[in-house]
Amino acid sequence: MLNRFMSALTGEQIVCYTPLEVNTDYEHCEVKYDGSRYRLKTSETGVLSFKINNPIRQNVLFYLDSNLSEFTHVYLNGTRINDQGERLIRGVIELGELEAGEVVVSLAFSGDKHWFTHASAAAFDTKKFGAVANKLNKGSPTSLMVSRNKFGEPIITGTLHAPQNGVIFTSVPADRGWKAEIDGKSVKPETVYKAFIALPISQGHHTFTLRYRPRGLVGGVIISGISIVLCAVLAVRRKCNPATSNSPPTAESPFCNSFEIPT
């Protein structure tokens, strides 16, 4: 998926990540698969070990989807790689440039409420990634500003020179509340891999704007307006109805005398 993502950004076939074989082993714990997760249980300190087959000297990344604590002790070939208090288990762990051969990533845990779904590893080609980054930087914004309107809603504005037709990729999470403009004209934001916002762009110099309005805001304003009107009508009815008013209408109340409120 990451390779497809990089290819989509550059318009070229890019392979920066190569999957590596991973085998799992357990020590001092019970493991039970419930159809979606591997449940872990231990009465002492359990150890999860992931053996990665690394065919050549290269940079290796490791990922584990689990609910283990962010401060779980992580070991690489028997040597702990996160210091006391260092959060490492959440997200991708960069193992660094490793020699060819078997690589073992181990995690120590305790208790009976932990689980994991899968572990994966990949070789990371830093040279190809650097080339992609350099290419993308050629079309990066020459100016960028983030502000907020009087309601506290974010506004992102910027200018850039696109060397060719393509998209402006952002790290802004995709949400239908975002509205976009290119050179003052409304455009429909695209969603990249169901996660981030991208804007179609043609070659040349452009300005762009992203504005966020939470979904339901307009409807909420309309509903609030209706509520205010209803409150006003009810207040008038109460004022004009002797049965519900503390004081009957008089000649000094021309509003009540001039209008009939339906009952």
Side-chain angles (χ1 to χ4, degrees), residues 190-210:
E190 298 179 356
T191 301
V192 179
Y193 287 103
K194 300 180 180 180
F196 303 108
I197 286 178
L199 306 178
I201 196 79
S202 60
Q203 182 179 8
H205 185 79
H206 300 280
T207 61
F208 64 91
T209 304
L210 279 168

Side-chain angles (χ1 to χ4, degrees), residues 73-91:
H73 296 177
V74 181
Y75 300 84
L76 175 61
N77 294 333
T79 301
R80 186 173 169 181
I81 59 176
N82 59 330
D83 296 329
Q84 187 70 31
E86 181 183 1
R87 302 180 182 184
L88 191 59
I89 194 59
R90 290 289 186 266

